Amino acid sequence: MLNLLSAVAGPVLNGLFNIIDQSVEDKDQAAKIKSRLQEMVLTGQMKEIEQAAAIIRAEAQGESWLQRNWRPLLMCLFGVIVGNNYLIVPLFGTPSADIPPDMWDLLKLGIGGYVVGRSVEKGIRVWKDPGD
């Protein structure tokens, strides 16, 4: 998700920065405007990531075993399929499982979401409280 946001926001920001550089004669003022714009984009991205992390936390603290474990189980299932196709099949010549492109996207999103979400969570904590 963060990669998608960055991919979209990057070119838009660059275009806006070019317009600001051409329109605002005072370079200090232009730098302030660009800095504020970057901050606004980053804050928006952080809020979205924090909301996604809150959903995952709520599921992890849920009452039902299935509610707490469906994401990890799904990632484990994907791991078994990938392990089968790239470890077992080449070694033993067994049939491979077809992996549709949508499943790869979901796997990348699932793994990326956990890695990025956790990293951002730690980064936000450090950013808000640099003394720890």
Side-chain angles (χ1 to χ4, degrees):
M1 179 67 76
L2 186 61
N3 289 339
L4 177 64
L5 289 172
S6 297
V8 171
V12 172
L13 272 178
N14 287 336
L16 289 173
F17 286 175
N18 288 336
I19 292 170
I20 291 167
D21 287 336
Q22 293 170 4
S23 307
V24 179
E25 292 180 16
D26 182 1
K27 297 303 174 194
D28 290 336
Q29 185 65 25
K32 286 179 186 177
I33 293 169
K34 289 192 279 188
S35 175
R36 178 67 181 129
L37 189 58
Q38 279 181 318
E39 182 181 313
M40 289 168 56
V41 169
L42 183 60
T43 303
Q45 289 177 353
M46 292 301 153
K47 284 181 184 175
E48 187 171 320
I49 291 169
E50 286 174 342
Q51 289 170 348
I55 291 169
I56 292 172
R57 265 193 304 274
E59 286 178 351
Q61 296 169 350
E63 305 241 348
S64 163
W65 181 88
L66 185 59
Q67 180 186 6
R68 290 189 309 268
N69 294 296
W70 76 271
R71 287 178 194 260
L73 289 171
L74 186 61
M75 291 298 114
C76 287
L77 174 63
F78 288 164
V80 168
I81 293 170
V82 170
N84 174 66
N85 285 2
Y86 295 101
L87 296 174
I88 304 299
V89 170
L91 290 174
F92 300 106
T94 59
S96 67
D98 289 331
I99 302 177
D102 290 343
M103 187 179 125
W104 278 116
D105 293 340
L106 187 57
L107 178 64
K108 289 188 284 187
L109 182 65
I111 291 174
Y114 277 113
V115 171
V116 169
R118 191 72 183 122
S119 299
V120 168
E121 218 178 299
K122 289 179 181 179
I124 288 172
R125 206 174 309 127
V126 168
W127 178 60
K128 285 182 178 177
D129 224 358
D132 290 343

